[in-house]
Amino acid sequence: MRKLKVGIDVGGTFTHAVAVEVSSRELVGKACVPTTHKAQAGVAQGVIDSLQVLLKENQISAEEIMLIAHSTTQATNALLEGDVAPVGVIAMGTGLEGWRAKSETRFADLELAPGKLLPVSHRFLDTGKDQLTPERIREALKALQAEGAEVIVASEVFGVDHPEKELQVVEIAEEMGLLATAASQISKLYGLKVRTRTAVINASMMPKMLETANLTEQAIREAGITTPVMVMRSDGGIMSIDQMRQRPILTMLSGPAAGVAAALMYARVSDGIFIEVGGTSSDITVIRNGKPQVKSAQIGGHRLYVQTLDVRTLGIAGGSIPRIKGKEVVDVGPRSAHIADLAYPAFVADTESDFSGATISQIQPRKGDPKDYLKLSLGEQGYTITPTEASQFLKLGTDSGHGTANQAALQSALERTGQEMGISAETLATAILTRAAEKIKPTIKQLLREYKLDSDLISFVGGGGGAPAIVPFSAKYMGFKYRMVEHSEVISAIGAALGLIRDSVERNLLNPSNEDLIQLRQEAFEAVLAMGATADSIEVSVEVDTRNKKVVAIATGASELRSQAGQAQAQMGAEDLKQAAAEALKSTVDKIELLGQTEHLSAFGLHITKSIMLGLIKRDQLNVRVLDSQGVVKLQLNNALYEATHAKQVKQQLPRLIERLTSYGDAGGLIPDVYVLIGRRILDLSGLVEVSQMIALLEQDLQQQSADQPAILLAMSKGI
């Protein structure tokens, strides 16, 4: 019997469902239904509809499904549309701390989006001796209810260290039939104002998200499926539906996160700029060393204690309408064809291929828009020429999954429009795509600068139904390589199916001890284990943020490891691996050196000489690529040092390697980024700032390995 994971992506227009075979990651089937915004069960109905179509059309039995995961735009939409519940805050403290709590937890109605406010009411309870009684708590809760509060947040100064009083308020509120949450359950970070604000916004989404979660899970169970139901997080992982009920705020960027998860798990991108292109907008995300970049979320300009993917959304996509002035294309987008009720010539029937008699005009799609958007009229139907038409006409894009383009219609539509403008069809198509690339270019430059990306290591990766319209031309225009993800039109659903279970634990620690780091890592490990990840698959990275006096442990794990049979079938031979490494290093096989191997990983190096100081100084450096047994590049380092060794020698050799790449300045030593390859794993120590921290966290991993197990140490200076 097959072992399948089902992924469902709830988009603004369509809900896609896919089934992926676990061992081979082969796409077994896919289905698409309209998103059910107006159904009694809301978008949950579309989840069920897409699932039922998927099972029926692909002869999938309930017993074959190991896991169901879905991404959703509901949390984001709720905030943008103001579809949230009023929140009541019970703040607690005493003395000077109480005075601080009283002021820092009191909010005016929070602006979620322009014109959309979240009503927030407030009560303060003194926690001094014998003052916090159940009667006083109930009295405060009734007062908040009378003011319209539907959900309660309990927040106390230093509640992250002593959450007992917050939890007491939550317990009493629930006894009274109210939904409630403690601020310390949402974040363990200090900063009373931000922590409370984060809890308030989370609480406001709970009624709506709880309703959807309950309807979705109930319908899945009624379909005879008993496997775990997971939800996509905004940081690229998945979490149990029970966790979503408690922390719906973690799903704010669930949709874009699913696409990034597919880039990592399905397309196996280790370093690249992932561009997911729809019909109206494109989401751009940086992936470096197999990890998406994350940042602190903001709502209405207010910072939250929530980590989301750093997604840059631009109003340019496959369906964007060009703006015309004389012979020039002055802009493309942000309005799209479906917003203006215009059809795509690329996808018309063969009987509608002749646009020679079309009327060319300029329109204003929405009030306040410019009045120069392009329209072609044939009878009662309006059309336009989007980047999709331009790319297909120039034969740059591949089939996006939405059907093969009507080349006769493309030729006719572009020639008619070009005739009206006084330019050729080729010039028009190129101008449209050039304008589109120019809109993406500043964001690409900004990401390269912000994340100090090495242009030699970066390529564009295209996903989404509109990717063929934007990515190939833009990559060539900016001088980058590119590749397209297979089945790109259902990329987000694939990402939901393959997403790793993820959780993170944060603490404010001024001078974290090695014991603090070990405890934090164990806490993150157990959180992911409790959600269904297998212990052998869990990896935890620890980052010490000295500037913000914060430590973060991020754990990821799979619900089931890929089968050994699947791994064995996909393994590459030694010569093929070396050839793949040569391609990754942009060199020839004869210049590539095998630095070392572990059970599942191979490290290859290329020695080069670089000129600096206007060529006056020559410097030798080693560029390294780490490939897994299937030939996928897992790690890329330029100007690195390495040491091939064994598990028993790692602790002795690591400090010497670090010392060789440590740079010194007025602020002291800046140690390099360090990675340890052992067994099937890459142990990422790049977030740590002291050698002793690295050794302490390595201790547990090394205990699980035999002393003679091969290991490879890699280090790259942060100053390079």
Side-chain angles (χ1 to χ4, degrees), residues 251-263:
T251 68
M252 281 196 306
L253 278 178
S254 178
V260 174

Side-chain angles (χ1 to χ4, degrees), residues 212-494:
T212 299
N214 292 339
L215 288 169
T216 302
E217 188 172 36
Q218 178 184 347
I220 289 172
R221 299 298 179 234
E222 288 175 353
I225 300 170
T226 59
T227 50
V229 180
M230 312 295 283
V231 183
M232 203 77 208
R233 292 165 52 111
S234 57
D235 57 10
I238 58 176
M239 62 181 177
S240 67
I241 200 164
D242 284 338
Q243 282 292 312
M244 192 271 271
R245 289 183 173 103
Q246 298 172 31
R247 296 183 288 173
I249 197 171
L250 297 184
T251 68
M252 281 196 306
L253 278 178
S254 178
V260 174
L264 295 169
M265 303 295 294
Y266 186 67
R268 299 186 180 184
V269 178
S270 59
D271 286 82
I273 295 178
F274 179 61
I275 306 175
E276 184 173 5
V277 186
T280 302
S281 63
S282 296
D283 295 323
I284 304 177
T285 310
V286 169
I287 298 173
R288 185 167 58 178
N289 286 330
K291 296 179 180 179
Q293 304 306 298
V294 297
K295 65 176 183 178
S296 295
Q298 291 193 358
I299 292 291
H302 302 297
R303 187 166 67 96
L304 305 176
Y305 280 157
V306 174
Q307 293 294 304
T308 67
L309 293 181
D310 186 358
V311 177
R312 312 292 169 93
T313 301
L314 304 178
I316 180 68
S320 298
I321 311 173
R323 293 172 52 205
I324 306 298
K325 183 177 182 180
K327 294 184 177 183
E328 292 187 26
V329 176
V330 296
D331 199 1
V332 181
R335 288 299 182 203
S336 58
H338 78 275
I339 293 293
D341 197 25
L342 300 177
Y344 295 78
F347 303 120
V348 299
D350 289 340
T351 55
E352 302 170 359
S353 299
D354 184 9
F355 282 83
S356 60
T359 302
I360 310 299
S361 62
Q362 293 172 294
I363 63 168
Q364 182 184 35
R366 290 286 187 272
K367 185 177 179 180
D369 288 346
K371 300 179 180 180
D372 54 5
Y373 282 96
L374 173 67
K375 180 180 179 180
L376 291 78
S377 300
L378 272 178
E380 298 296 320
Q381 181 61 57
Y383 299 86
T384 192
I385 298 173
T386 71
T388 294
E389 277 73 32
S391 182
Q392 293 281 1
F393 175 75
L394 296 175
K395 295 182 170 57
L396 298 176
T398 56
D399 181 12
S400 66
H402 295 302
T404 304
N406 185 328
Q407 290 296 329
L410 288 176
Q411 184 82 22
S412 180
L414 270 87
E415 285 182 351
R416 173 68 188 95
T417 307
Q419 179 186 40
E420 185 79 11
M421 295 174 63
I423 59 177
S424 69
E426 290 79 5
T427 300
L428 173 59
T430 303
I432 289 172
L433 295 179
T434 300
R435 285 294 181 188
E438 283 290 344
K439 296 187 79 167
I440 291 175
K441 189 175 180 178
T443 298
I444 299 298
K445 283 187 171 182
Q446 185 178 13
L447 289 171
L448 291 171
R449 183 174 60 253
E450 285 183 20
Y451 289 109
K452 300 178 181 178
L453 301 178
D454 188 335
S455 297
D456 292 336
L457 303 182
I458 294 298
S459 62
F460 288 1
V461 180
I470 299 295
V471 175
F473 184 92
S474 296
K476 184 178 180 180
Y477 183 78
M478 287 179 252
F480 289 95
K481 291 184 177 181
Y482 78 92
R483 64 186 175 104
M484 306 296 291
V485 179
E486 192 178 6
H487 303 296
S488 61
E489 82 281 9
V490 291
I491 189 69
S492 291
I494 292 173

